[in-house]
Amino acid sequence: VDGNDTITAIATPIGEGGIGVIRVSGPLSEKILLRLFRPRRERTSYQSHRLYNGDMVSPTEGGKVLDEVMVALMKEPHSYTGEDSLEIYCHGGPLIMKTIIREVLRAGARMAEPGEFTKRAFLNNRLDLSQAQAVMEMISARTEEDLGRAVSRLKGALGEKTRMLQSSLLDIAARLEAAIDFPEDDTELPDSQHLVDDLVKLRDQVDSLASTYEEGKLFREGLHVVITGKPNVGKSSILNRLVGSERAIVTAIPGTTRDLIRETIRIKGIPVDLTDTAGIRPTDNIIESKGVELVRGELARADLIIFVVEGNSEIGHEDREIARDIRDKGPIIAVNKSDLPRRIDIEELTMLLPGCDRVLLSAKTGEGMDLLEEEIFRFASSRVSDSAQKDVIITDLRQRICLEKAAEALGRAVSGLLEQQTADIVIIEVRDAVKALSEITGDNTDLEIIDRIFSNFCIGK
Ligand SMILES: Nc1nc2c(ncn2[C@@H]2O[C@H](COP(=O)(O)OP(=O)(O)OP(=O)(O)O)[C@@H](O)[C@H]2O)c(=O)[nH]1
Ligand SMILES: [Mg+2]
């Protein structure tokens, strides 16, 4: 695929809509406009960035009118892709759009590959790679917070941050270079302790940027919360309360829930994937014991466990066993059925699960449910480091790998200096780090990788 041909795609979702947008980008854009568009008022040329009203016609079918449309021509370099571009706003029926696209193709364009418009924007330096990826994240954003972060990245926050790191590293490389060119001392680098200090500082910054991936993951995939406890303590009732509807069957019979029941909710913008599970107990019932098996896998994958106990009875053998299994994961303890007289020994509960947060609530009356939500939210936000660079969060695994590579190279540079290796060896590591960082902005990225990134986009973007 070279950048010299003209591409087209339907930019709006498939299906019926008030308006459909067809995009064209490449050198034939203006020709295609002249060939297929009949303006209301006769004209032979079009100004850039202006809307014109008229008919789309089919020259191959004797000038038949296909649709009444608005068109806009955007001349290079002031377009999204940086090339001459054309946007056709037609009526949103799938058939209309297909017919118009067919004429655009006959006029010399070809169908765009997924993400090809944005890829061209990248290749024409309209966007850096982190910004291009932000475009994709904006489209698939699930929450306003997601969207806010993607927008900030589109504005170049990540690119700016990585370029800053790169430039500091290049400064260090220059200092090392000077040491190579003017060796004052055969065995030791001048200023070696300063270099170590600076490199360690930079490595920490790279590390902390890499670790924001976990936060990005939280916003992208949601917090995986699993509700567990022995049978009949009110797990499904709590799920229903959190979801706000009768999602799971609730009965007074222990062992009601067998399958995993999943539902996504949002707590203050954070997506939370809730899973209700079968109550854990030894059982001869095959169906129930299958359910109990499923719980174990689910608990292992949980970000957060809500351990439900009954406040109106004493802690039993089953509770203790479950508590022991999940202790390491720091569950939130939900002491349910607070509308009934309390019999549970809270002190014993605390000893069983030291340091765990506890909420008293009633799934029946709704009392305390807000506290539980608050606890879930608190847990989620504790995962989000409150670094000052909040809006520079990486959400892409590839970006994390680049940052980790850079951090590793810097680690090697530091130990090289500490082991009093020569500048020409240390500088190789520093350069490696710079190179790894440049893959984030795409200043130095293989075309193959770039192709792969853009192929994850949707068609027309
Ligand atoms: N009084 C009172 N009863 C509750 C409360 N929460 C649940 N229950 C009752 O407890 C029983 C069990 O509730 P479920 O939500 O089905 O319990 P579960 O933990 O999902 O049970 P299994 O699916 O069998 O493991 C039902 O009769 C509920 O109505 C509560 O806060 N107060
Ligand atoms: Mg249940």
Side-chain angles (χ1 to χ4, degrees), residues 230-237 248-251 253 255-259 261 276-279:
K230 69 177 184 191
N232 218 41
V233 291
K235 298 180 295 300
S236 301
S237 306
I249 297 172
V250 168
T251 76
I253 306 165
T256 299
T257 307
R258 271 90 188 273
D259 276 327
I261 297 174
D276 177 27
T277 59

Side-chain angles (χ1 to χ4, degrees), residues 300-362:
R301 291 198 297 116
D303 294 317
L304 174 64
I305 293 172
I306 298 175
F307 175 47
V308 185
V309 294
E310 244 173 0
N312 61 322
S313 56
E314 286 170 17
I315 297 170
H317 172 68
E318 285 161 350
D319 295 315
R320 279 194 202 92
E321 210 146 85
I322 301 166
R324 215 185 36 227
D325 285 350
I326 61 176
R327 193 173 323 177
D328 294 346
K329 297 205 98 178
I332 295 176
I333 309 165
V335 182
N336 191 29
K337 309 199 183 179
S338 64
D339 53 296
L340 299 175
R342 190 180 312 157
R343 290 236 184 73
I344 196 166
D345 182 345
I346 295 286
E347 216 162 287
E348 189 190 351
L349 194 59
T350 312
M351 296 218 305
L352 206 54
L353 292 162
C356 292
D357 291 317
R358 188 179 348 104
V359 182
L360 304 180
L361 53 83
S362 165

Side-chain angles (χ1 to χ4, degrees), residues 76-301:
E76 66 164 24
H78 302 293
S79 70
Y80 180 71
T81 55
E83 315 172 318
D84 279 358
S85 300
L86 174 65
E87 285 183 9
I88 304 167
Y89 311 97
C90 58
H91 291 99
L95 186 63
I96 296 172
M97 288 194 274
K98 248 192 254 167
T99 322
I100 295 175
I101 276 265
R102 194 176 60 211
E103 289 304 327
V104 173
L105 294 172
R106 281 178 184 159
R110 70 165 169 80
M111 285 308 290
E113 290 166 17
E116 201 173 359
F117 289 92
T118 307
K119 180 174 160 188
R120 287 189 176 195
F122 165 71
L123 292 173
N124 291 323
N125 294 319
R126 299 287 294 172
L127 299 171
D128 75 26
L129 205 49
S130 65
Q131 290 173 305
Q133 287 190 284
V135 170
M136 180 164 65
E137 280 161 23
M138 282 174 67
I139 295 171
S140 58
R142 292 208 297 178
T143 66
E144 283 183 37
E145 283 78 3
D146 269 352
L147 189 58
R149 287 196 173 71
V151 169
S152 111
R153 211 159 15 243
L154 180 63
K155 295 202 153 131
L158 177 60
E160 209 171 284
K161 175 89 190 160
T162 35
R163 277 192 204 95
M164 223 175 63
L165 289 167
Q166 268 176 293
S167 123
S168 307
L169 287 174
L170 288 172
D171 286 345
I172 291 181
R175 276 150 72 189
L176 288 164
E177 200 77 65
I180 298 171
D181 293 342
F182 308 101
E184 292 161 26
D185 186 326
D186 285 342
T187 55
E188 207 177 322
L189 278 167
D191 196 22
S192 164
Q193 190 52 48
H194 275 123
L195 280 170
V196 169
D197 291 347
D198 290 352
L199 280 172
V200 167
K201 232 180 273 162
L202 286 166
R203 190 199 51 198
D204 289 349
Q205 287 184 36
V206 172
D207 261 342
S208 86
L209 194 55
S211 67
T212 62
Y213 178 75
E214 290 302 324
E215 300 167 33
K217 192 169 151 239
L218 178 66
F219 281 96
R220 214 175 39 254
E221 293 170 11
L223 190 72
H224 188 47
V225 176
V226 179
I227 306 174
T228 190
K230 69 177 184 191
N232 218 41
V233 291
K235 298 180 295 300
S236 301
S237 306
I238 290 174
L239 175 94
N240 287 347
R241 276 279 176 188
L242 288 170
V243 172
S245 72
E246 299 303 300
R247 174 68 182 81
I249 297 172
V250 168
T251 76
I253 306 165
T256 299
T257 307
R258 271 90 188 273
D259 276 327
L260 302 172
I261 297 174
R262 297 185 203 279
E263 198 65 40
T264 301
I265 61 167
R266 238 171 267 293
I267 298 179
K268 294 188 200 167
I270 296 182
V272 175
D273 286 318
L274 289 171
T275 307
D276 177 27
T277 59
I280 299 179
R281 65 169 171 187
T283 171
D284 294 334
N285 183 307
I286 296 180
I287 305 173
E288 197 183 338
S289 76
K290 286 253 179 213
V292 173
E293 266 171 49
L294 287 178
V295 184
R296 307 218 182 271
E298 207 55 25
L299 288 174
R301 291 198 297 116

